Amino acid sequence: MKFLRYPGGKSKLLSYLVNHLPKNKDIKGTYIEPFVGGGSVFFHINPDKALVSDLNPELISLYKGIKLYPHKVWETFESFPSGKIAYYDIRNKGTEGKHLHYKAARTLYLNRTCFKGMWRHNSNGDFNVGYGGEERRWVITHQNIVELSKTFRKAEILNNDFEDVILNASKNDFIFLDPPYKPGEKDLHELHYRNGKFLFDEQVRLAETLKSLPKSKRIRWAMTNSSHKDILSLYEGFHIKKIPFGTSDKPGIQTKSSNEVLITNY
Ligand SMILES: C[S@@+](CC[C@H](N)C(=O)[O-])C[C@H]1O[C@@H](n2cnc3c(N)ncnc32)[C@H](O)[C@@H]1O
């Protein structure tokens, strides 16, 4: 079940990715995901011990809310009225002074009913995507939220910058990284995220952080990224595989390139 609509979601590439990532039983340390976003890889691996983080504060409140208060989140989500008027009312009221379970339920409600699942905010940081309809609201159930809560209870959830998360990794941890990028994009811009752009200097900072991990810690990492030559030049000496396009729809048929790569240090 894909419970969240999220830009850059990796669910379409999952069938390819999972063949190149360790399974839960093969991760001796902690599974770490510093750009967790919609979390498709994290949910698939369902690690026994995890640390997930993202700079998007609404996303992290959603995950923490589900982890701690699955029933209250569901009850509040269920109680929000249907329709355009209710949507704008709940959206415009914001979350000031609200409890974590309300924030989580509101984010889930807006995500399931907004236009095309977009995440866009105005300059004040307020969510400003228009109404999209109720068709996708009820694909999630109370039981789904309870199951998600069980997965999150095995994870520490942080709202930190990636550098901080990566540098705190310990011996034998595994890090999966899915930084913001647009496949093949020339300017390496990404405008859809809560925190604006992730430009090339951020890509450089990411590569330097990964390269600074001491070899003695035996930390393995894998990253999806654009196949843009400037990105590839940051990872000379690592293992780089082109991700084939369309593997999940037509298993075994790999026709076009996706302009995305999987880079690993193992
Ligand atoms: C491509 S998305 C991850 C998508 C996710 N793997 C999925 O399957 O849905 C990238 C994420 O990086 C987050 N992000 C952007 N800059 C960041 C930073 N400096 N540190 C941590 N997270 C950041 C964004 O908020 C976004 O959620």
Side-chain angles (χ1 to χ4, degrees), residues 111-252:
N111 180 261
R112 300 304 319 175
T113 58
C114 74
F115 183 69
K116 290 195 171 168
M118 288 169 75
W119 288 71
R120 193 187 59 213
H121 298 75
N122 62 21
S123 52
N124 294 329
D126 301 323
F127 186 79
N128 70 353
V129 180
Y131 181 61
E134 303 291 318
E135 297 81 31
R136 290 164 213 86
R137 178 165 172 193
W138 301 111
V139 299
I140 30 174
T141 63
H142 190 176
Q143 188 54 32
N144 293 148
I145 299 295
V146 171
E147 291 302 323
L148 287 166
S149 173
K150 286 183 191 158
T151 303
F152 283 130
R153 279 172 198 219
K154 297 184 284 180
E156 185 180 353
I157 304 173
L158 299 176
N159 187 202
N160 291 0
D161 177 65
F162 67 80
E163 189 170 335
D164 189 50
V165 175
I166 294 170
L167 293 180
N168 277 306
S170 305
K171 197 165 183 181
N172 295 322
D173 287 350
F174 172 75
I175 312 177
F176 175 68
L177 309 114
D178 182 20
Y181 63 89
K182 275 190 180 165
E185 174 97 341
K186 261 202 183 134
D187 300 328
L188 306 173
H189 277 214
E190 179 49 83
L191 297 170
H192 282 282
Y193 293 94
R194 170 72 175 77
N195 298 289
K197 299 174 181 178
F198 195 88
L199 298 179
F200 193 64
D201 53 353
E202 290 290 88
Q203 292 278 1
V204 173
R205 184 164 70 94
L206 174 59
E208 282 171 358
T209 307
L210 288 168
K211 287 176 191 170
S212 77
L213 290 171
K215 287 213 165 59
S216 58
K217 283 194 174 176
R218 293 200 194 119
I219 293 165
R220 286 178 296 168
W221 58 259
M223 168 168 53
T224 48
N225 212 324
S226 157
S227 61
H228 190 282
K229 64 174 177 29
D230 293 349
I231 300 279
L232 301 188
S233 72
L234 297 173
Y235 294 97
E236 273 169 24
F238 292 93
H239 304 279
I240 302 179
K241 291 187 176 71
K242 271 241 168 207
I243 300 179
F245 186 72
T247 42
S248 63
D249 297 341
K250 297 173 189 160

Side-chain angles (χ1 to χ4, degrees), residues 37-52:
S40 41
V41 174
F42 163 66
F43 292 124
H44 181 88
I45 292 185
N46 192 7
D48 286 338
K49 190 169 173 238
L51 191 168
V52 294

Side-chain angles (χ1 to χ4, degrees), residues 2-145:
K2 196 170 168 294
F3 97 103
L4 207 62
R5 300 192 283 168
Y6 204 76
K10 284 292 158 292
S11 52
K12 289 207 175 85
L13 300 181
L14 256 187
S15 62
Y16 172 82
L17 289 178
V18 294
N19 289 327
H20 296 85
L21 304 180
K23 307 219 172 353
N24 175 37
K25 65 175 173 44
D26 301 323
I27 302 172
K28 283 193 205 145
T30 302
Y31 171 91
I32 301 178
E33 198 171 337
F35 304 93
V36 68
S40 41
V41 174
F42 163 66
F43 292 124
H44 181 88
I45 292 185
N46 192 7
D48 286 338
K49 190 169 173 238
L51 191 168
V52 294
S53 180
D54 198 288
L55 218 45
N56 179 340
E58 287 169 341
L59 180 78
I60 292 306
S61 292
L62 169 63
Y63 290 173
K64 285 184 176 170
I66 291 177
K67 174 178 176 173
L68 296 172
Y69 311 106
H71 305 297
K72 280 188 176 172
V73 170
W74 177 257
E75 280 158 24
T76 310
F77 173 80
E78 211 180 15
S79 74
F80 289 138
S82 302
K84 203 170 176 173
I85 294 172
Y87 174 88
Y88 285 106
D89 185 42
I90 290 158
R91 191 194 80 172
N92 297 342
K93 265 188 202 147
T95 57
E96 219 181 296
K98 296 285 189 192
H99 191 275
L100 184 62
H101 75 260
Y102 179 92
K103 290 183 185 169
R106 174 182 176 271
T107 299
L108 190 59
Y109 167 81
L110 294 178
N111 180 261
R112 300 304 319 175
T113 58
C114 74
F115 183 69
K116 290 195 171 168
M118 288 169 75
W119 288 71
R120 193 187 59 213
H121 298 75
N122 62 21
S123 52
N124 294 329
D126 301 323
F127 186 79
N128 70 353
V129 180
Y131 181 61
E134 303 291 318
E135 297 81 31
R136 290 164 213 86
R137 178 165 172 193
W138 301 111
V139 299
I140 30 174
T141 63
H142 190 176
Q143 188 54 32
N144 293 148
I145 299 295

